[in-house]
Amino acid sequence: MNDKFEDIAVKELETMVALARTSGASNGPILDHLQGLYEGLGWQARRLPLNDGGEPRANLVIKNSDSPGVMFDVHTDTVPPGSIERWTETDHEPRKLTRKGDRLYGLGSSDTLASGAVLNTLAMQGRLPEGTAIVYTADEEVGAIGATHLLADGG
């Protein structure tokens, strides 16, 4: 990867870490970001609400063709941050992406928001092939609830 790709991906990861929330909390802010990004690129995006009586959460299905042949799945939730005092690398702010040397620190940055940031960057650069779908699911960290709903919705 060249530096430009890395810079864009890190900036995207910074946004995603700031917007992601723990399981059970609304994932609306991160979905707003993702939907706007992909629709701006000409992709189709559709939200599928969970409708389970909890906070408003949804899955987001994004595709660049009517009949995708490959699908990526990224979840939008994180585990709870735990003790804020232990977040020393981020100045005790778990949702602040921090780079130290060749490492990135931030809640959800290695599971799985970095994967999403890479996919988003590839899409922004037009480097994902026609026939690609990306599904951003809710509540993976507490039993793959979003994926279960996606399958029940015929996803």
Side-chain angles (χ1 to χ4, degrees):
M1 284 190 255
N2 62 39
D3 286 342
K4 184 170 181 165
F5 183 93
E6 182 178 323
D7 292 343
I8 295 167
V10 169
K11 182 69 175 159
E12 180 62 16
L13 180 57
E14 180 179 42
T15 298
M16 293 177 72
V17 167
L19 294 173
R21 293 296 175 258
T22 56
S23 304
S26 174
N27 64 347
I30 195 167
L31 294 186
D32 290 344
H33 165 71
L34 294 165
Q35 188 166 357
L37 186 153
Y38 280 93
E39 286 179 344
L41 296 172
W43 290 50
Q44 303 166 42
R46 183 171 54 117
R47 285 191 201 204
L48 302 170
L50 269 53
N51 296 324
D52 62 0
E55 279 200 46
R57 294 161 349 276
N59 294 318
L60 181 64
V61 178
I62 304 165
K63 57 187 183 173
N64 66 3
S65 79
D66 289 332
S67 54
V70 65
M71 182 188 86
F72 296 95
D73 178 47
V74 180
H75 62 90
T76 60
D77 59 314
T78 68
V79 297
S83 173
I84 299 301
E85 290 76 33
R86 298 188 73 184
W87 286 90
T88 56
E89 298 297 336
T90 62
D91 297 324
H92 310 288
E93 296 180 37
R95 296 194 196 306
K96 180 181 109 184
L97 188 71
T98 304
R99 184 180 217 156
K100 297 217 173 164
D102 63 351
R103 294 182 182 215
L104 296 169
Y105 298 89
L107 187 59
S109 61
S110 66
D111 177 28
T112 184
L113 299 177
S115 299
V118 167
L119 288 168
N120 297 350
T121 304
L122 289 168
M124 285 185 260
Q125 294 185 341
R127 294 170 62 185
L128 288 174
E130 188 71 16
T132 299
I134 304 170
V135 179
Y136 280 93
T137 57
D139 293 353
E140 185 274 343
E141 297 289 0
V142 291
I145 293 170
T148 301
H149 280 260
L150 182 69
L151 292 173
D153 289 338

